[in-house]
Amino acid sequence: MTSLLTGQVVSHLGQGISVEHSGQIKLCQTLRKLDTVVVGDQVLWTETGPDHGRIEKILPRRSVLLRPNKNRTTRPVAANLDTLYVVFAFEPLCDFLLIDQYLAICENNHINAALVLNKADLPADTTILGELQLYQKLGYTLYTVSAKQQQGLKELTHAMQDKTSMLVGQSGVGKSSLTNALLPDKDIKTNTLSNIHKHGRHTTTAAPLYHLPSGGDLIDSPGVAIFGLAGLTESLLAQGYREFQPLIEQCKFLNCRHVKDLGCAVRLAAENGEIAISRYQRFLKLREKMPLD
Ligand code: GDP
Ligand code: ZN
């Protein structure tokens, strides 16, 4: 019997899955009965030939990020993420609705979330800075960086050490620039992968995983469009606003939707200024898009 080896899924290619084992990449197939294998998964696999293998088992995940699929179902995009870094800038204009959406997804999936204000070299927008203070008060760490001028990257690198991270955010905020700044040898790594799979064409269908020079992994952002409010329902969205959590228990009705409901502690707190009204208003906007529980 061939022995089971451990490995980490580093990319998902058209013709198979790249699994890294002892610094080497093996092109693997999966058993049909297995769940969807994704980037970041730790797996058990067996060798089927030189540079080839078969994934036999997905090891338990400590977190999984989902994307919407057909018919309101979801499918996984990345596994074992520790922290999602939500990147934004003064321009393109910061979309707080999108930020709240990412934060709510993290809150519900046991993934840490942090904020990254990129392009700090550009003139500051005081309205945005004011809104950011609200997030810091809620316990979200804010990293202020400039990928272009290589500022503030030390703190970010330090936070990413020995963790699995992903940068997300709208297009144009500087995710690729930041990735390049964090991974000086990114091109070399990409080449290593394509050399191994030189037989035939392949397309990269999922975010590849890179090793950070000072330890830890960075999974390339799979793009904004795929997230949506995957896997959340109306009540999970409310839980995703972390300042709502202690208030939800105080709402008069167990099935309170936190809109115009009688005795809603969340709405009351927002009206009294105990929690930020801007966040509450964004919750109301986002919940209009949500499926009912
Ligand atoms: P992505 O779409 O999020 O991957 O964004 P890109 O990395 O492609 O960057 C979008 C644009 O913003 C490019 O023109 C970059 O040169 C620019 N950019 C990225 N980082 C910075 C920065 O720190 N400062 C400034 N001024 N521009 C930046
Ligand atoms: Zn309520």
Side-chain angles (χ1 to χ4, degrees):
M1 199 187 115
T2 43
S3 55
L4 282 174
L5 302 162
T6 55
Q8 182 186 35
V9 175
V10 293
S11 71
H12 213 302
L13 307 164
Q15 87 237 73
I17 292 162
S18 305
V19 173
E20 187 180 318
H21 170 80
S22 297
Q24 286 193 320
I25 309 283
K26 307 286 178 180
L27 186 60
C28 291
Q29 306 301 322
T30 57
L31 292 175
R32 191 166 286 177
K33 63 174 193 206
L34 286 188
D35 281 345
T36 312
V37 178
V38 292
V39 171
D41 263 325
Q42 298 286 342
V43 296
L44 295 179
W45 63 283
T46 48
E47 212 147 32
T48 55
D51 295 334
H52 286 79
R54 184 174 60 234
I55 296 174
E56 310 280 349
K57 190 175 164 50
I58 306 171
L59 294 175
R61 296 164 169 162
R62 59 179 186 277
S63 70
V64 60
L65 195 63
L66 303 170
R67 68 183 284 176
N69 208 3
K70 283 174 281 209
N71 304 325
R72 291 212 153 146
T73 56
T74 56
R75 66 192 191 87
V77 228
N80 299 317
L81 267 182
D82 293 299
T83 310
L84 198 72
Y85 291 89
V86 184
V87 186
F88 54 94
F90 299 126
E91 72 121 269
L93 192 64
C94 181
D95 180 355
F96 284 105
L97 212 54
L98 185 68
I99 293 182
D100 281 5
Q101 204 164 310
Y102 287 127
L103 298 184
I105 288 168
C106 287
E107 195 73 30
N108 278 287
N109 290 287
H110 311 288
I111 299 170
N112 253 316
L115 302 175
V116 180
L117 171 62
N118 186 34
K119 310 196 189 183
D121 53 290
L122 297 181
D125 178 326
T126 47
T127 317
I128 291 176
L129 290 180
E131 198 65 26
L132 288 176
Q133 282 183 354
L134 299 174
Y135 290 90
Q136 289 177 289
K137 274 191 204 136
L138 294 172
Y140 292 108
T141 307
L142 171 68
Y143 297 92
T144 304
V145 304
S146 166
K148 198 174 184 173
Q149 302 195 338
Q150 308 263 316
Q151 281 168 11
L153 297 176
K154 217 156 100 191
E155 289 80 2
L156 201 55
T157 305
H158 188 254
M160 289 180 169
Q161 213 164 15
D162 303 325
K163 305 274 189 225
T164 302
S165 309
M166 187 189 271
L167 305 174
V168 295
Q170 60 191 122
S171 149
V173 294
K175 296 180 299 296
S176 320
S177 310
L178 271 175
T179 304
N180 289 333
L182 293 165
L183 290 167
D185 59 350
K186 186 182 173 199
D187 294 339
I188 300 167
K189 302 242 178 222
T190 315
N191 285 342
T192 321
L193 272 181
S194 23
N195 286 343
I196 285 172
H197 308 307
K198 60 178 173 260
H199 310 291
R201 283 196 310 157
H202 68 262
T203 43
T204 306
T205 56
L209 178 148
Y210 303 102
H211 301 307
L212 293 162
S214 52
D217 296 325
L218 183 63
I219 300 182
D220 240 8
S221 171
V224 178
I226 68 146
F227 277 97
L229 286 158
L232 295 192
T233 59
E234 206 183 312
S235 70
L236 291 177
L237 177 69
Q239 293 289 342
Y241 278 76
R242 56 167 64 155
E243 70 273 38
F244 293 6
Q245 290 169 10
L247 298 164
I248 288 169
E249 296 160 23
Q250 296 167 33
C251 291
K252 186 174 162 101
F253 298 105
L254 209 59
N255 61 351
C256 185
R257 299 172 79 180
H258 322 300
V259 188
K260 295 205 164 87
D261 313 57
L262 191 71
C264 173
V266 177
R267 181 172 44 84
L268 205 68
E271 285 168 358
N272 292 342
E274 289 157 41
I275 60 172
I277 188 92
S278 53
R279 286 256 296 167
Y280 176 66
Q281 281 164 346
R282 288 196 287 272
F283 159 75
L284 292 181
K285 254 194 203 163
L286 285 177
R287 70 168 280 290
E288 284 171 14
K289 304 188 205 167
M290 305 297 309
L292 300 177
D293 291 328

